[in-house]
Amino acid sequence: MTYSNPPDPVPPIDGDNFNSVEYDPPDRDPVNVPSDVFELGLVMAGAVSAGAYIAGVMDFLIEALDVWEQKKAEPGFSGPKHRTLLKVITGASGGAMNGAIAVANLNHKFKHIRSGETAGQTENPFFDAWVNDIDISLLLALEDLSGDNPEIRSILDSTELDAIARRSLTPPPDAEPIERGYLNDPLRLMLTVTNLRGIPHWIGLSGNTKQGHGMLMHRDHLRFALQGPSNGGLYPDELHLQYPADMSSQSWVSLAKAALATGAFPAFLKPRDISRPFKDYKFRNVFKNVLPETKKYRAVQAAKYDFSDGEYNFLAVDGGTMNNEPLEMARRVLAGAFGRNPRDGLKAKRATIMIDPFPEMPSLGPENGLNINPVSSVMALASAWKSESRFRAQDLALAGDNHVYSRFLLAPSRRDHDQISRGARITSEALGAFGGFLSRHFRVHDYLLGRRNCQRFLSHNFTLPEQHQLFKSWDINDRQDYLVPRHGDQKDHLPIIPLIKGSAVEAEEPIPSWPTGLYDRSSIEPLIEQRFDAIFDAAMKKLEIPWYQKLYLKPLKWAARNKLCQFASEKIAADLDRMNL
């Protein structure tokens, strides 16, 4: 791994006096970025089983950057020679998991997966984790309920997820090292989590420490910094990662725990215990005043509870329930806390790429109270919470604006093939984003579509006007070879990450075949039945009901199981029929 950029400066902070933490982080000025460098931040939204789609995007993105770096290193190369620099990855749930996989595996080579090469284990960390290693049969297993006194932690069995996390974050012992010059030093990774215990905040009235207003913040995140031997420029709440990834290292173990926590879908997957120094929260800042003459930010005061000298333990679940698209976190790393990322096509020097498997409009909630009941009311509220956390309207508006060059959106598209899938773009849309777990065929499709969409995005969308100074060293032949249209039909833009002509990444990635009829719908019923029986039996053990009373509960158990299986079968069938799967 090549570290070609000096560490970002971090101002000294007095960590002992909580209430006086105040500092000015360095503002970013676009003129300080070399004219031949474009800085990147990746924002990967919550995904559940659509993590397979994001994994395909990441696979192709890394391959395209690798091919370009290798070509630039060859003697006599006369193609595009500007540089891109990946500075930050942020994510929630399945997106954050892919970020963790990327960071752990960017110091060695791995095979990239193309159509027709999807059989068996591949040693591609993205493909194996999201296509080969996970499946509904594992999530409906009984490992977590084994033993004499099982604890019911979740509806699904999360046991295998721990093993997948260890495997995907541990490079093979014979992996061939590679230096990737497009990685910043440090490369920052931020994973959102929902902190169920809460972070205490206290606002004293007129300086009064005993009277005021107390609050708990549950939107949380965990920060990591992948850094080389330079070992400097880290923020106080960042955990330092160094290669090789090693599960005996506390920092890498913490990354695995964070990855599992951010994907812990409430109720369905096991919540995760997280422990960190409470001092980390001293450096969570809010804007005091954003006017140029008073650029300050101060740590939020959190009196009332005194955890300042110890560890803060909390239970964490899915980061996407509170912050599903952490774009602002990535933007601040690129621009500085009070900086701005220029949006104009000729001035842009850095940009965020939002990778979102589900950007489409969700179903509307209830129109009136005619058919509402307590259960449907609670379900509508849960849906509203989820939708509200998924995005900020202004973020998507800017990412979708063709005249804004500091934010880009990469989302699933099957274009004119949508009629085959009845409008669906990825199989993971089914069953509230759990659909991809049903079948390996589904996950292969979503992974390969991610690769194709990333290829099209890099060659047609992730571009700047050809007059931009980033391309000033390009010769006339390169300009003609790579020119693409951005507005209308006129070819007047050039790619920020070029797909090198004649290379493997230029060959068109085909639209994968829609996996109609490849899933055996009856295969899941016995799995649901055995999982239900195991949960029911474990609950009975906890209640310590005498054996003769349990006899009366058996009919209830059978009836409930049959009702659940019928409901699940009908729901699965309806969703798969809707999507022609």
Side-chain angles (χ1 to χ4, degrees):
M1 182 174 183
T2 298
Y3 295 92
S4 52
N5 205 50
D8 291 336
V10 176
I13 300 175
D14 175 12
D16 295 325
N17 187 344
F18 189 89
N19 292 331
S20 67
V21 176
E22 188 172 308
Y23 64 93
D24 285 320
D27 286 343
R28 300 292 307 281
D29 187 331
V31 300
N32 294 331
V33 180
S35 61
D36 65 341
V37 173
F38 195 90
E39 298 179 334
L40 302 179
L42 300 181
V43 182
M44 296 187 282
V48 194
S49 67
Y53 174 83
I54 297 177
V57 171
M58 291 297 294
D59 187 20
F60 189 90
L61 176 62
I62 292 170
E63 183 180 10
L65 286 165
D66 284 350
V67 168
W68 185 27
E69 288 290 312
Q70 292 161 11
K71 286 294 182 182
K72 285 193 289 187
E74 293 179 0
F77 176 69
S78 60
K81 292 182 179 179
H82 67 271
R83 300 173 58 221
T84 57
L85 200 60
L86 179 59
K87 296 202 68 174
V88 59
I89 300 173
T90 67
S93 185
M97 292 177 177
N98 274 299
I101 293 172
V103 166
N105 290 277
L106 282 171
N107 72 323
H108 67 88
K109 294 182 179 180
F110 51 84
K111 177 184 177 182
H112 299 284
I113 307 302
R114 298 182 179 84
S115 180
E117 301 176 350
T118 59
Q121 293 294 117
T122 64
E123 292 196 352
N124 178 302
F126 297 102
F127 189 84
D128 287 340
W130 285 101
V131 177
N132 285 330
D133 292 349
I134 189 65
D135 189 76
I136 193 63
S137 61
L138 299 173
L139 296 174
L140 290 173
L142 309 178
E143 186 67 24
D144 62 328
L145 299 176
S146 60
D148 295 332
N149 192 28
E151 296 287 344
I152 304 172
R153 302 296 186 190
S154 55
I155 294 173
L156 301 177
D157 185 355
S158 303
T159 306
E160 188 60 25
L161 299 180
D162 295 77
I164 294 172
R166 287 193 299 270
R167 288 195 298 270
S168 61
L169 301 186
T170 304
D174 57 348
E176 181 182 352
I178 183 175
E179 293 186 350
R180 290 184 161 102
Y182 52 84
L183 303 180
N184 190 64
D185 178 13
L187 172 60
R188 292 194 151 90
L189 172 67
M190 289 179 273
L191 285 61
T192 67
V193 294
T194 297
N195 184 328
L196 294 182
R197 188 181 190 190
I199 308 162
H201 291 71
W202 178 260
I203 301 176
L205 298 178
S206 302
N208 192 320
T209 59
K210 294 183 178 180
Q211 293 184 340
H213 182 56
M215 296 167 286
L216 290 176
M217 180 179 290
H218 297 275
R219 175 183 289 207
D220 203 351
H221 64 270
L222 299 162
R223 293 177 62 125
F224 300 85
L226 179 65
Q227 191 169 52
S230 56
N231 195 19
L234 297 184
Y235 282 91
D237 62 341
E238 285 181 324
L239 277 179
H240 183 198
L241 301 173
Q242 275 192 306
Y243 286 137
D246 182 0
M247 285 297 108
S248 66
S249 163
Q250 186 56 50
S251 293
W252 287 102
V253 169
S254 295
L255 176 58
K257 289 181 178 180
L260 292 167
T262 188
F265 196 91
F268 285 87
L269 298 176
K270 182 176 73 173
R272 299 290 172 163
D273 294 312
I274 299 293
S275 179
R276 66 187 308 174
F278 189 76
K279 287 184 178 181
D280 284 358
Y281 294 112
K282 295 182 180 182
F283 311 102
R284 296 292 175 83
N285 302 292
V286 295
F287 292 110
K288 271 186 67 179
N289 196 321
V290 297
L291 296 176
E293 65 273 15
T294 55
K295 289 183 178 179
K296 300 279 187 184
Y297 55 48
R298 166 176 286 174
V300 177
Q301 296 182 13
K304 211 64 172 171
Y305 298 100
D306 183 12
F307 301 101
S308 57
D309 295 325
E311 291 292 300
Y312 191 62
N313 305 311
F314 62 90
L315 197 63
V317 295
D318 186 359
T321 59
M322 291 290 174
N323 189 2
N324 196 61
E325 293 171 344
L327 187 145
E328 180 63 16
M329 291 162 58
R331 189 201 69 79
R332 286 195 188 183
V333 171
L334 292 179
F338 301 100
R340 294 290 182 267
N341 293 323
R343 299 174 183 176
D344 183 85
L346 296 179
K347 297 178 181 178
K349 294 295 297 179
R350 47 191 180 262
T352 55
I353 301 175
M354 183 189 298
I355 306 170
D356 190 346
F358 303 117
E360 68 285 340
M361 178 65 69
S363 300
L364 294 173
E367 181 179 0
N368 54 55
L370 294 178
N371 298 309
I372 205 76
N373 58 54
V375 174
S376 59
S377 178
V378 171
M379 294 297 292
L381 178 60
S383 178
W385 274 334
K386 183 179 74 171
S387 296
E388 189 68 17
S389 75
R390 285 201 175 277
F391 74 100
R392 296 194 314 163
Q394 60 267 41
D395 290 340
L396 282 185
L398 290 172
D401 189 335
N402 285 334
H403 299 283
V404 172
Y405 289 83
S406 61
R407 303 187 185 193
F408 293 82
L409 175 65
L410 199 170
S413 172
R414 287 181 55 87
R415 298 173 57 207
D416 57 342
H417 290 250
D418 281 357
Q419 67 270 20
I420 300 172
S421 60
R422 296 177 180 168
R425 293 168 176 80
I426 53 176
T427 66
S428 299
E429 292 179 27
L431 303 176
F434 274 82
F437 294 139
L438 293 178
S439 171
R440 187 178 187 275
H441 296 293
F442 295 175
R443 299 189 295 275
V444 167
H445 169 275
D446 292 357
Y447 190 96
L448 295 178
L449 186 67
R451 281 186 55 89
R452 174 186 166 83
N453 287 170
C454 185
Q455 182 185 52
R456 297 285 297 180
F457 171 78
L458 295 180
S459 61
H460 289 76
N461 301 100
F462 193 46
T463 63
L464 293 170
E466 64 169 321
Q467 298 87 3
H468 195 285
Q469 60 180 352
L470 192 67
F471 311 119
K472 64 183 180 181
S473 65
W474 287 37
D475 62 31
I476 187 63
N477 292 326
D478 287 331
R479 290 177 180 273
Q480 292 301 317
D481 287 343
Y482 289 95
L483 273 176
V484 294
R486 177 71 186 267
H487 305 297
D489 297 326
Q490 183 179 358
K491 291 187 175 183
D492 57 357
H493 279 57
L494 290 169
I496 298 170
I497 300 177
L499 304 182
I500 299 301
K501 301 299 180 181
S503 69
V505 294
E506 188 201 16
E508 183 177 14
E509 295 273 336
I511 296 177
S513 300
W514 191 247
T516 301
L518 297 181
Y519 172 60
D520 179 6
R521 302 181 185 187
S522 65
S523 63
I524 196 172
E525 293 181 9
L527 298 176
I528 295 175
E529 288 182 357
Q530 71 173 12
R531 180 73 186 170
F532 176 87
D533 287 347
I535 291 177
F536 189 95
D537 293 343
M540 291 302 99
K541 286 183 179 179
K542 289 295 180 184
L543 293 176
E544 298 181 351
I545 297 176
W547 67 269
Y548 56 87
Q549 293 184 7
K550 292 181 180 179
L551 295 176
Y552 297 103
L553 293 175
K554 282 189 176 181
L556 174 63
K557 172 182 175 181
W558 294 333
R561 180 215 295 156
N562 292 339
K563 190 71 174 178
L564 173 65
C565 287
Q566 179 183 1
F567 172 80
S569 297
E570 291 176 354
K571 174 62 176 173
I572 291 171
D575 247 20
L576 298 186
D577 287 342
R578 173 180 61 85
M579 297 170 58
N580 194 27
L581 287 170

